[in-house]
Amino acid sequence: MGLNEKLTLAGLVVGLLIGATGMGAGSLMAPILITVFNVGAVAAVGTDLLYSAGTKLVGGVRHLTLNTVHRELAVYMAVGSVPASVAGVYTLHRLAASEGKAVQADIKDVIGYALILVAIAVAVRTFFTLRAIFTDNIPKDGPLNRRHRVLAMAIGLVFGFVFGLTSVGAGAFFGMALLTLFPLSTLKVVGTDLFHGALVTIAAATAAYFFLPSIAFSSIGFLMLGSIPGILVGAQLSVKLPERALRGSLSAVLALSGMKLLGLFG
């Protein structure tokens, strides 16, 4: 099997997981590029960001047209996450320029730790019933108060920077925050997560295009070639397969991928 076929297959596998689980699976692309295709960590982050931008854009626009997005919350979170993600990409660019090859191992470790945190977030969302806090008596999906706006921007700043630096965790970290800290219905959690994810990913991907070296542009098309049908098939499978089993398995795969990058086995 040639390189292009392997890239398409990798896109198909990740797409199936994204479609079937709806959370966290996109974080697998960077470690696959690093461990399977021997792409440098910095280039893998840039490639992953550009790859993710296309998939997130489609999902975000679709939810916007379906009116399943809490626009106010998405905008306030993006106020923090968009500049922070650009700052994360620029930080990676400066590290790569100043540290050279030494930064590759460091970023690989950072991605590994981030993957383990994503695995924990996915497991918590899967196996524990979480009740929203800090929501007072605000009706679900209604206007936010000042505390929620400040909280949204703060969450955007922290997780946006991590995302720009590693390309990992946009769906899991932001989705967890939306689920637990804001007065949203389940439908608006999904739509807002995807729409905001599109905003922050496009910003980070644009920064990656200008700042990160050696992005595997030729690989992105083949990854998308596999991932788009994979997402569609995965979405159909999600209706028929046990949700907890799927997401529990994804959590385990994410954790193992993180440990692999950290050199804990293999």
Side-chain angles (χ1 to χ4, degrees), residues 20-142:
T21 65
M23 60 185 197
S27 297
L28 287 170
M29 185 54 74
I32 287 175
L33 290 171
I34 294 169
T35 59
V36 177
F37 296 98
N38 296 314
V39 176
V42 174
V45 170
T47 303
D48 187 18
L49 288 172
L50 287 166
Y51 156 79
S52 298
T55 57
K56 291 286 178 66
L57 178 61
V58 173
V61 170
R62 178 56 177 161
H63 275 278
L64 191 64
T65 60
L66 293 173
N67 198 32
T68 56
V69 176
H70 194 297
R71 300 188 187 195
E72 182 187 15
L73 179 53
V75 168
Y76 273 102
M77 196 170 281
V79 167
S81 66
V82 166
S85 68
V86 173
V89 172
Y90 184 72
T91 299
L92 183 58
H93 159 69
R94 294 300 300 169
L95 288 171
S98 62
E99 301 296 331
K101 291 184 178 179
V103 77
Q104 298 289 348
D106 293 336
I107 293 300
K108 185 176 174 181
D109 287 346
V110 172
I111 293 173
Y113 287 117
L115 279 171
I116 292 173
L117 290 176
V118 170
I120 293 171
V122 171
V124 169
R125 287 181 65 181
T126 300
F127 297 108
F128 296 92
T129 301
L130 299 174
R131 184 175 61 183
I133 59 177
F134 303 136
T135 56
D136 300 326
N137 294 316
I138 299 175
K140 284 188 175 182
D141 303 333

Side-chain angles (χ1 to χ4, degrees), residues 173-199:
F173 292 151
F174 288 117
M176 175 68 76
L178 290 171
L179 185 67
T180 59
L181 301 177
F182 298 97
L184 296 179
S185 63
T186 302
L187 188 60
K188 284 292 177 76
V189 166
V190 175
T192 305
D193 187 17
L194 270 171
F195 180 70
H196 168 262
L199 297 178

Side-chain angles (χ1 to χ4, degrees), residues 137-155:
N137 294 316
I138 299 175
K140 284 188 175 182
D141 303 333
L144 304 177
N145 61 25
R146 183 176 180 274
R147 183 169 57 183
H148 288 119
R149 296 187 189 104
V150 172
L151 184 61
M153 289 187 285
I155 289 169

